[in-house]
Amino acid sequence: MSTNVILAGVGGQGAVLASKLLARAAMGRGLPVKTAETIGMAQRGGSVFSHVRMGEGVHAPLIGRGRAGAIVAFEPAEAARQLPFLRPGGTVVTSDAPVVPVSSATGGPAYDLPAIMSYLRERVGEENLVVVDAAAAEAELGTAKALNVVLLGAAARAGALGPVTVEDLAAAVRATVSPRFLDLDLAALSIGDSPQFT
């Protein structure tokens, strides 16, 4: 049995670190893991997404369309962008905080957050959509820099990461994250226990 997860965001949101934490957490459970990252124009605020495949029978790193059990998105439009990869009945865990692209500020199409959230609810279904209150998480932590870890914790609590638990993620954080960010990231994992964040 394998678990396929796509992590998506824009440059600077920590999607690559999140994929490393998830992969390490899965390996800590003794699961085979394959990952692939597409970072493109990440340093200019472009899309960043990672494929993480965990479990027996995983031989290639890329997830086919309609095969992801979960999408963990650090930005709502990136969640919508990755929807073709979600399998029927799959889960989407997303932040509610938009990162408005430069093109919207320079005369391009407007960024319509209510329309994006409505589209996600319609396509995914309320029962399979977890929306994390980014502002509440930032207020609790004192920074937005750990939102990637908050979302991983929310995804684990929703059962979207297969066998990977919050405790597995905490072990991965301890083994991976710089000591100066350790307390922050462990706190980011734990705040999801409160219903106000989702």
Tab-separated table of all heavy atoms in Angstrom, residues 106-151:
chain	number	residue	atom	x	y	z
A	106	THR	N	0.128	43.997	-11.753
A	106	THR	CA	0.610	44.781	-12.901
A	106	THR	C	-0.340	44.679	-14.090
A	106	THR	O	0.096	44.706	-15.240
A	106	THR	CB	2.020	44.315	-13.317
A	106	THR	OG1	1.982	42.909	-13.607
A	106	THR	CG2	3.033	44.603	-12.230
A	107	GLY	N	-1.627	44.524	-13.799
A	107	GLY	CA	-2.615	44.552	-14.867
A	107	GLY	C	-3.093	43.211	-15.355
A	107	GLY	O	-3.948	43.135	-16.242
A	108	GLY	N	-2.566	42.133	-14.803
A	108	GLY	CA	-3.019	40.800	-15.205
A	108	GLY	C	-4.336	40.449	-14.536
A	108	GLY	O	-4.972	41.293	-13.890
A	109	PRO	N	-4.759	39.188	-14.669
A	109	PRO	CA	-6.022	38.773	-14.043
A	109	PRO	C	-5.983	38.992	-12.534
A	109	PRO	O	-4.959	38.772	-11.887
A	109	PRO	CB	-6.107	37.276	-14.378
A	109	PRO	CG	-5.201	37.081	-15.547
A	109	PRO	CD	-4.117	38.105	-15.423
A	110	ALA	N	-7.088	39.433	-11.969
A	110	ALA	CA	-7.169	39.673	-10.528
A	110	ALA	C	-7.100	38.355	-9.775
A	110	ALA	O	-7.545	37.309	-10.263
A	110	ALA	CB	-8.462	40.397	-10.197
A	111	TYR	N	-6.538	38.410	-8.589
A	111	TYR	CA	-6.507	37.243	-7.701
A	111	TYR	C	-7.800	37.267	-6.898
A	111	TYR	O	-7.998	38.146	-6.055
A	111	TYR	CB	-5.292	37.315	-6.781
A	111	TYR	CG	-5.063	36.058	-5.960
A	111	TYR	CD1	-3.988	35.224	-6.225
A	111	TYR	CD2	-5.918	35.707	-4.916
A	111	TYR	CE1	-3.769	34.074	-5.478
A	111	TYR	CE2	-5.717	34.568	-4.170
A	111	TYR	CZ	-4.640	33.753	-4.450
A	111	TYR	OH	-4.431	32.603	-3.704
A	112	ASP	N	-8.671	36.315	-7.150
A	112	ASP	CA	-9.995	36.283	-6.530
A	112	ASP	C	-10.040	35.147	-5.505
A	112	ASP	O	-10.426	34.014	-5.830
A	112	ASP	CB	-11.059	36.096	-7.617
A	112	ASP	CG	-12.478	36.250	-7.095
A	112	ASP	OD1	-12.679	36.156	-5.862
A	112	ASP	OD2	-13.383	36.454	-7.923
A	113	LEU	N	-9.649	35.451	-4.262
A	113	LEU	CA	-9.589	34.414	-3.225
A	113	LEU	C	-10.941	33.748	-2.974
A	113	LEU	O	-11.006	32.515	-2.905
A	113	LEU	CB	-9.010	34.990	-1.931
A	113	LEU	CG	-8.901	34.001	-0.764
A	113	LEU	CD1	-7.987	32.833	-1.114
A	113	LEU	CD2	-8.423	34.715	0.489
A	114	PRO	N	-12.041	34.502	-2.828
A	114	PRO	CA	-13.326	33.817	-2.605
A	114	PRO	C	-13.671	32.836	-3.727
A	114	PRO	O	-14.187	31.747	-3.473
A	114	PRO	CB	-14.335	34.967	-2.536
A	114	PRO	CG	-13.528	36.132	-2.071
A	114	PRO	CD	-12.185	35.969	-2.721
A	115	ALA	N	-13.374	33.206	-4.970
A	115	ALA	CA	-13.664	32.310	-6.090
A	115	ALA	C	-12.787	31.068	-6.031
A	115	ALA	O	-13.252	29.951	-6.323
A	115	ALA	CB	-13.455	33.042	-7.417
A	116	ILE	N	-11.533	31.225	-5.645
A	116	ILE	CA	-10.630	30.081	-5.541
A	116	ILE	C	-11.101	29.133	-4.449
A	116	ILE	O	-11.155	27.909	-4.646
A	116	ILE	CB	-9.185	30.556	-5.282
A	116	ILE	CG1	-8.626	31.264	-6.517
A	116	ILE	CG2	-8.279	29.383	-4.900
A	116	ILE	CD1	-7.332	32.007	-6.290
A	117	MET	N	-11.471	29.676	-3.297
A	117	MET	CA	-11.925	28.818	-2.201
A	117	MET	C	-13.236	28.124	-2.563
A	117	MET	O	-13.439	26.945	-2.229
A	117	MET	CB	-12.079	29.641	-0.921
A	117	MET	CG	-10.783	30.270	-0.410
A	117	MET	SD	-9.419	29.096	-0.199
A	117	MET	CE	-10.048	28.086	1.134
A	118	SER	N	-14.121	28.829	-3.250
A	118	SER	CA	-15.371	28.227	-3.691
A	118	SER	C	-15.106	27.087	-4.667
A	118	SER	O	-15.733	26.019	-4.598
A	118	SER	CB	-16.255	29.296	-4.337
A	118	SER	OG	-17.438	28.734	-4.834
A	119	TYR	N	-14.144	27.298	-5.562
A	119	TYR	CA	-13.773	26.264	-6.534
A	119	TYR	C	-13.231	25.022	-5.819
A	119	TYR	O	-13.600	23.885	-6.151
A	119	TYR	CB	-12.723	26.839	-7.481
A	119	TYR	CG	-12.174	25.861	-8.491
A	119	TYR	CD1	-12.919	25.495	-9.598
A	119	TYR	CD2	-10.899	25.336	-8.338
A	119	TYR	CE1	-12.406	24.613	-10.530
A	119	TYR	CE2	-10.378	24.452	-9.264
A	119	TYR	CZ	-11.135	24.092	-10.361
A	119	TYR	OH	-10.627	23.216	-11.282
A	120	LEU	N	-12.390	25.234	-4.818
A	120	LEU	CA	-11.845	24.098	-4.069
A	120	LEU	C	-12.958	23.333	-3.356
A	120	LEU	O	-12.999	22.099	-3.387
A	120	LEU	CB	-10.802	24.582	-3.058
A	120	LEU	CG	-9.472	25.074	-3.623
A	120	LEU	CD1	-8.618	25.691	-2.520
A	120	LEU	CD2	-8.720	23.947	-4.321
A	121	ARG	N	-13.885	24.067	-2.718
A	121	ARG	CA	-14.982	23.395	-2.013
A	121	ARG	C	-15.854	22.595	-2.972
A	121	ARG	O	-16.293	21.491	-2.664
A	121	ARG	CB	-15.831	24.419	-1.253
A	121	ARG	CG	-15.137	25.000	-0.050
A	121	ARG	CD	-16.051	25.896	0.781
A	121	ARG	NE	-15.329	26.394	1.931
A	121	ARG	CZ	-14.653	27.541	1.966
A	121	ARG	NH1	-14.647	28.333	0.896
A	121	ARG	NH2	-14.011	27.908	3.043
A	122	GLU	N	-16.097	23.173	-4.143
A	122	GLU	CA	-16.936	22.504	-5.130
A	122	GLU	C	-16.267	21.251	-5.683
A	122	GLU	O	-16.891	20.202	-5.834
A	122	GLU	CB	-17.230	23.485	-6.260
A	122	GLU	CG	-18.078	22.916	-7.383
A	122	GLU	CD	-18.255	23.927	-8.501
A	122	GLU	OE1	-18.572	25.099	-8.218
A	122	GLU	OE2	-18.062	23.527	-9.661
A	123	ARG	N	-14.990	21.354	-5.985
A	123	ARG	CA	-14.274	20.242	-6.610
A	123	ARG	C	-13.879	19.149	-5.625
A	123	ARG	O	-13.862	17.968	-5.969
A	123	ARG	CB	-13.009	20.763	-7.308
A	123	ARG	CG	-13.262	21.624	-8.529
A	123	ARG	CD	-13.816	20.818	-9.702
A	123	ARG	NE	-12.960	19.706	-10.057
A	123	ARG	CZ	-11.906	19.789	-10.850
A	123	ARG	NH1	-11.578	20.949	-11.389
A	123	ARG	NH2	-11.181	18.722	-11.113
A	124	VAL	N	-13.530	19.538	-4.406
A	124	VAL	CA	-12.998	18.581	-3.429
A	124	VAL	C	-14.091	18.085	-2.492
A	124	VAL	O	-14.090	16.916	-2.095
A	124	VAL	CB	-11.849	19.226	-2.615
A	124	VAL	CG1	-11.324	18.267	-1.554
A	124	VAL	CG2	-10.729	19.676	-3.539
A	125	GLY	N	-15.026	18.968	-2.159
A	125	GLY	CA	-16.064	18.620	-1.188
A	125	GLY	C	-15.658	19.069	0.200
A	125	GLY	O	-14.484	18.943	0.581
A	126	GLU	N	-16.596	19.595	0.948
A	126	GLU	CA	-16.313	20.109	2.295
A	126	GLU	C	-15.670	19.049	3.186
A	126	GLU	O	-14.814	19.351	4.007
A	126	GLU	CB	-17.600	20.612	2.956
A	126	GLU	CG	-18.190	21.859	2.338
A	126	GLU	CD	-17.463	23.132	2.757
A	126	GLU	OE1	-16.551	23.067	3.589
A	126	GLU	OE2	-17.837	24.193	2.238
A	127	GLU	N	-16.104	17.792	3.022
A	127	GLU	CA	-15.617	16.730	3.910
A	127	GLU	C	-14.156	16.388	3.648
A	127	GLU	O	-13.491	15.789	4.495
A	127	GLU	CB	-16.490	15.472	3.780
A	127	GLU	CG	-16.389	14.750	2.444
A	127	GLU	CD	-17.204	15.388	1.323
A	127	GLU	OE1	-17.824	16.451	1.525
A	127	GLU	OE2	-17.222	14.798	0.228
A	128	ASN	N	-13.628	16.755	2.479
A	128	ASN	CA	-12.250	16.423	2.126
A	128	ASN	C	-11.348	17.649	2.032
A	128	ASN	O	-10.228	17.551	1.531
A	128	ASN	CB	-12.204	15.665	0.794
A	128	ASN	CG	-12.854	14.307	0.889
A	128	ASN	OD1	-12.725	13.614	1.899
A	128	ASN	ND2	-13.581	13.918	-0.142
A	129	LEU	N	-11.840	18.789	2.492
A	129	LEU	CA	-11.074	20.031	2.429
A	129	LEU	C	-10.799	20.537	3.844
A	129	LEU	O	-11.722	20.751	4.625
A	129	LEU	CB	-11.842	21.090	1.641
A	129	LEU	CG	-11.171	22.458	1.503
A	129	LEU	CD1	-9.874	22.363	0.702
A	129	LEU	CD2	-12.130	23.454	0.844
A	130	VAL	N	-9.521	20.708	4.158
A	130	VAL	CA	-9.100	21.253	5.442
A	130	VAL	C	-8.459	22.605	5.157
A	130	VAL	O	-7.469	22.684	4.419
A	130	VAL	CB	-8.088	20.330	6.154
A	130	VAL	CG1	-7.608	20.970	7.456
A	130	VAL	CG2	-8.701	18.960	6.404
A	131	VAL	N	-9.033	23.672	5.713
A	131	VAL	CA	-8.512	25.027	5.499
A	131	VAL	C	-7.900	25.514	6.802
A	131	VAL	O	-8.585	25.593	7.828
A	131	VAL	CB	-9.618	25.984	5.027
A	131	VAL	CG1	-9.039	27.382	4.816
A	131	VAL	CG2	-10.263	25.467	3.741
A	132	VAL	N	-6.620	25.825	6.762
A	132	VAL	CA	-5.893	26.276	7.945
A	132	VAL	C	-5.935	27.798	8.022
A	132	VAL	O	-5.647	28.488	7.039
A	132	VAL	CB	-4.434	25.773	7.902
A	132	VAL	CG1	-3.606	26.400	9.020
A	132	VAL	CG2	-4.397	24.251	8.003
A	133	ASP	N	-6.302	28.308	9.162
A	133	ASP	CA	-6.366	29.751	9.409
A	133	ASP	C	-4.938	30.266	9.606
A	133	ASP	O	-4.373	30.187	10.704
A	133	ASP	CB	-7.231	30.018	10.642
A	133	ASP	CG	-7.453	31.500	10.900
A	133	ASP	OD1	-6.594	32.317	10.505
A	133	ASP	OD2	-8.481	31.835	11.515
A	134	ALA	N	-4.356	30.791	8.541
A	134	ALA	CA	-2.959	31.213	8.574
A	134	ALA	C	-2.736	32.373	9.524
A	134	ALA	O	-1.708	32.448	10.212
A	134	ALA	CB	-2.499	31.576	7.167
A	135	ALA	N	-3.687	33.306	9.584
A	135	ALA	CA	-3.530	34.462	10.469
A	135	ALA	C	-3.520	34.031	11.935
A	135	ALA	O	-2.733	34.541	12.741
A	135	ALA	CB	-4.648	35.471	10.215
A	136	ALA	N	-4.391	33.089	12.304
A	136	ALA	CA	-4.423	32.593	13.687
A	136	ALA	C	-3.126	31.867	14.023
A	136	ALA	O	-2.577	32.032	15.123
A	136	ALA	CB	-5.615	31.665	13.888
A	137	ALA	N	-2.618	31.078	13.073
A	137	ALA	CA	-1.354	30.367	13.299
A	137	ALA	C	-0.202	31.353	13.459
A	137	ALA	O	0.644	31.204	14.345
A	137	ALA	CB	-1.084	29.405	12.154
A	138	GLU	N	-0.182	32.378	12.623
A	138	GLU	CA	0.883	33.383	12.709
A	138	GLU	C	0.815	34.136	14.033
A	138	GLU	O	1.849	34.398	14.666
A	138	GLU	CB	0.786	34.366	11.547
A	138	GLU	CG	1.872	35.406	11.543
A	138	GLU	CD	1.807	36.338	10.345
A	138	GLU	OE1	1.024	36.092	9.412
A	138	GLU	OE2	2.561	37.338	10.353
A	139	ALA	N	-0.390	34.467	14.468
A	139	ALA	CA	-0.544	35.168	15.743
A	139	ALA	C	-0.062	34.308	16.904
A	139	ALA	O	0.576	34.800	17.839
A	139	ALA	CB	-2.003	35.566	15.950
A	140	GLU	N	-0.335	33.024	16.839
A	140	GLU	CA	0.076	32.110	17.908
A	140	GLU	C	1.592	31.927	17.930
A	140	GLU	O	2.210	31.899	19.001
A	140	GLU	CB	-0.612	30.759	17.702
A	140	GLU	CG	-0.203	29.686	18.681
A	140	GLU	CD	-0.775	29.891	20.079
A	140	GLU	OE1	-1.686	30.717	20.254
A	140	GLU	OE2	-0.307	29.212	21.001
A	141	LEU	N	2.191	31.817	16.752
A	141	LEU	CA	3.626	31.529	16.665
A	141	LEU	C	4.489	32.781	16.633
A	141	LEU	O	5.692	32.709	16.881
A	141	LEU	CB	3.916	30.697	15.407
A	141	LEU	CG	3.292	29.306	15.357
A	141	LEU	CD1	3.449	28.707	13.972
A	141	LEU	CD2	3.906	28.401	16.420
A	142	GLY	N	3.890	33.920	16.286
A	142	GLY	CA	4.658	35.144	16.163
A	142	GLY	C	5.377	35.297	14.848
A	142	GLY	O	6.163	36.227	14.659
A	143	THR	N	5.111	34.406	13.897
A	143	THR	CA	5.741	34.460	12.579
A	143	THR	C	4.944	33.606	11.600
A	143	THR	O	4.258	32.665	12.011
A	143	THR	CB	7.201	33.947	12.626
A	143	THR	OG1	7.773	33.997	11.306
A	143	THR	CG2	7.275	32.511	13.131
A	144	ALA	N	5.070	33.953	10.318
A	144	ALA	CA	4.440	33.134	9.272
A	144	ALA	C	5.407	32.104	8.711
A	144	ALA	O	5.038	31.301	7.867
A	144	ALA	CB	3.948	34.040	8.148
A	145	LYS	N	6.649	32.114	9.184
A	145	LYS	CA	7.691	31.280	8.585
A	145	LYS	C	7.510	29.792	8.828
A	145	LYS	O	8.113	28.984	8.147
A	145	LYS	CB	9.071	31.717	9.075
A	145	LYS	CG	9.481	33.079	8.553
A	145	LYS	CD	10.868	33.438	9.006
A	145	LYS	CE	11.237	34.837	8.576
A	145	LYS	NZ	11.713	34.946	7.231
A	146	ALA	N	6.687	29.419	9.806
A	146	ALA	CA	6.502	27.997	10.101
A	146	ALA	C	5.156	27.474	9.602
A	146	ALA	O	4.727	26.396	10.001
A	146	ALA	CB	6.637	27.747	11.598
A	147	LEU	N	4.499	28.221	8.714
A	147	LEU	CA	3.199	27.781	8.215
A	147	LEU	C	3.300	26.436	7.501
A	147	LEU	O	2.371	25.622	7.569
A	147	LEU	CB	2.607	28.840	7.271
A	147	LEU	CG	1.202	28.553	6.749
A	147	LEU	CD1	0.195	28.446	7.889
A	147	LEU	CD2	0.773	29.630	5.762
A	148	ASN	N	4.425	26.176	6.848
A	148	ASN	CA	4.601	24.885	6.183
A	148	ASN	C	4.491	23.728	7.176
A	148	ASN	O	3.859	22.702	6.902
A	148	ASN	CB	5.925	24.825	5.430
A	148	ASN	CG	7.146	25.090	6.291
A	148	ASN	OD1	7.057	25.633	7.393
A	148	ASN	ND2	8.305	24.723	5.795
A	149	VAL	N	5.051	23.906	8.358
A	149	VAL	CA	5.015	22.845	9.367
A	149	VAL	C	3.625	22.758	9.991
A	149	VAL	O	3.132	21.665	10.290
A	149	VAL	CB	6.107	23.071	10.426
A	149	VAL	CG1	6.083	21.961	11.477
A	149	VAL	CG2	7.486	23.143	9.764
A	150	VAL	N	2.964	23.905	10.163
A	150	VAL	CA	1.575	23.900	10.650
A	150	VAL	C	0.704	23.049	9.716
A	150	VAL	O	-0.096	22.221	10.169
A	150	VAL	CB	1.017	25.336	10.739
A	150	VAL	CG1	-0.481	25.318	11.057
A	150	VAL	CG2	1.767	26.146	11.787
A	151	LEU	N	0.875	23.241	8.415
A	151	LEU	CA	0.067	22.507	7.432
A	151	LEU	C	0.379	21.020	7.437
A	151	LEU	O	-0.523	20.191	7.283
A	151	LEU	CB	0.263	23.108	6.046
A	151	LEU	CG	-0.516	24.409	5.852
A	151	LEU	CD1	0.119	25.285	4.791
A	151	LEU	CD2	-1.954	24.122	5.494
